[in-house]
């Protein structure tokens, strides 16, 4: 015997499923501003969410970078653009994102180079191979997932160097030896604390660097999630590192 209530329940489940797909599609279509410079930077600040149907209107001197679906897209003014424009991903884009999100060191930078050719870029242009290595040259907030495994990183490995870390009344010197890019953060003597300032000096730094830590509740699973988290936590150096790596990979892929 036909039951109207059962039919209504089935229709209700079907409608809910359609709605869920529609909502998921809308969320997937969103892009987010991950870099914004120029006269319109205040109109499209970093972290701005845009629907695919939104128009982005830029003037001369504007340059913004959007992230969507694991890809970045750069818009430059003057001009008007659809926020949902498609991006042709390079073959190496997925590998680049995987490397940047990996939880440990994924390679060693070449050491001691200072020439300006493409194969051996100046050290100032060499960046850490993933997001979770602490490049001690970078001022600002650093997002850390596990303080016990936090690693310091330098862009070369050609000489011995001493890095001094100070926090309040505590001080520790970390020794980088020739042939190594990485050194463990001295958690035993200077524990990682959130919301306090650390002063780093020496080890080739032209001036002291000030950093502070922010906690990660969970490791991001994709580039969009990482960008959203880094924006929310104010971890600008890591966001810049991710955007630069993705943009360079996509540009290389044409």
């Amino acid at each position: 015997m036909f039951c109207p209530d059962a039919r209504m329940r089935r229709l209700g489940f079907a409608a809910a499923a359609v709605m869920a797909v529609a909502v998921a599609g809308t969320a997937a279509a969103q892009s987010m501003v991950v870099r914004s410079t120029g006269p319109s930077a205040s109109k499209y600040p970093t972290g701005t969410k845009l629907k695919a149907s939104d128009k982005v209107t830029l003037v001369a001197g504007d340059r913004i970078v959007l992230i969507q679906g694991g890809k970045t897209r750069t818009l430059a003014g003057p001009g008007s653009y659809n926020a949902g424009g498609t991006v042709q991903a390079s073959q190496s884009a997925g590998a680049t994102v995987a490397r940047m999100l990996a939880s440990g060191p994924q390679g060693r930078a070449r050491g001691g180079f200072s020439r300006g050719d493409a194969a051996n870029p100046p050290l100032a242009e060499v960046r850490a191979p993933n997001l979770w290595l602490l490049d001690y040259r970078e001022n600002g907030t650093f997002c850390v997932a596990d303080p016990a495994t936090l690693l310091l990183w330098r862009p070369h490995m050609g000489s011995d160097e001493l890095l001094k870390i100070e926090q309040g009344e505590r001080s520790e010197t970390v020794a980088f030896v020739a042939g190594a890019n990485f050194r463990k953060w001295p958690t035993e003597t200077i524990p990682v604390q959130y919301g306090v300032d650390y002063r780093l000096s020496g080890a080739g730094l032209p001036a002291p660097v000030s950093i502070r830590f922010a906690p990660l509740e969970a490791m991001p699973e994709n580039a969009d999630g990482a960008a959203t988290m880094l924006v929310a936590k104010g971890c600008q150096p890591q966001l810049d590192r991710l955007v630069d790596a993705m943009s360079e990979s996509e540009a290389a892929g044409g």
Side-chain angles (χ1 to χ4, degrees), residues 95-121:
T96 296
V97 170
R99 172 174 58 81
M100 295 304 292
L101 299 185
S103 58
Q106 298 297 301
R108 292 157 66 91
R110 292 180 298 270
F113 293 112
S114 60
R115 299 188 300 275
D117 57 276
N120 302 311

Side-chain angles (χ1 to χ4, degrees), residues 111-190:
F113 293 112
S114 60
R115 299 188 300 275
D117 57 276
N120 302 311
L123 293 182
E125 298 177 9
V126 178
R127 292 291 174 260
N130 69 40
L131 295 182
W132 319 119
L133 295 170
L134 175 53
D135 183 342
Y136 62 71
R137 301 171 298 171
E138 297 175 339
N139 283 286
T141 301
F142 183 85
C143 285
V144 56
D146 183 3
T149 61
L150 177 61
L151 293 177
L152 291 153
W153 179 91
R154 64 175 179 171
H156 71 93
M157 50 186 174
S159 62
D160 296 339
E161 288 182 324
L162 298 177
L163 177 70
K164 185 176 183 180
I165 303 174
E166 299 171 276
Q167 196 283 306
E169 298 298 320
R170 289 176 289 200
S171 176
E172 181 64 88
T173 298
V174 175
F176 282 87
V177 298
N181 291 96
F182 311 107
R183 191 74 166 80
K184 187 178 181 298
W185 179 274
T187 51
E188 297 79 8
T189 51
I190 301 190

Side-chain angles (χ1 to χ4, degrees), residues 14-39:
V18 170
M19 180 62 72
V21 172
V23 170
T26 300
Q30 274 195 333
S31 58
M32 184 175 73
V33 177
V34 290
R35 180 171 294 162
S36 183
T37 59

Side-chain angles (χ1 to χ4, degrees), residues 43-242:
K43 183 179 178 182
Y44 303 106
T46 298
T48 300
K49 299 288 183 67
L50 300 169
K51 299 189 296 292
S53 58
D54 287 341
K55 289 284 187 181
V56 178
T57 303
L58 304 178
V59 300
D62 283 335
R63 189 177 183 87
I64 71 171
V65 180
L66 305 177
I67 189 170
Q68 179 184 327
K71 299 183 288 290
T72 58
R73 178 184 177 213
T74 301
L75 310 178
S80 183
Y81 307 88
N82 289 319
T86 58
V87 177
Q88 182 66 42
S90 71
Q91 293 182 346
S92 62
T96 296
V97 170
R99 172 174 58 81
M100 295 304 292
L101 299 185
S103 58
Q106 298 297 301
R108 292 157 66 91
R110 292 180 298 270
F113 293 112
S114 60
R115 299 188 300 275
D117 57 276
N120 302 311
L123 293 182
E125 298 177 9
V126 178
R127 292 291 174 260
N130 69 40
L131 295 182
W132 319 119
L133 295 170
L134 175 53
D135 183 342
Y136 62 71
R137 301 171 298 171
E138 297 175 339
N139 283 286
T141 301
F142 183 85
C143 285
V144 56
D146 183 3
T149 61
L150 177 61
L151 293 177
L152 291 153
W153 179 91
R154 64 175 179 171
H156 71 93
M157 50 186 174
S159 62
D160 296 339
E161 288 182 324
L162 298 177
L163 177 70
K164 185 176 183 180
I165 303 174
E166 299 171 276
Q167 196 283 306
E169 298 298 320
R170 289 176 289 200
S171 176
E172 181 64 88
T173 298
V174 175
F176 282 87
V177 298
N181 291 96
F182 311 107
R183 191 74 166 80
K184 187 178 181 298
W185 179 274
T187 51
E188 297 79 8
T189 51
I190 301 190
V192 170
Q193 296 177 284
Y194 302 120
V196 301
D197 292 325
Y198 294 79
R199 184 178 186 270
L200 281 60
S201 59
L205 291 172
V209 166
S210 178
I211 65 169
R212 58 174 46 203
F213 296 112
L216 291 183
E217 285 72 28
M219 292 292 284
E221 297 180 355
N222 52 50
D224 294 57
T228 299
M229 178 208 67
L230 294 172
V231 169
K233 297 285 187 177
C235 299
Q236 189 65 45
Q238 287 157 290
L239 178 64
D240 288 340
R241 198 184 304 173
L242 176 64

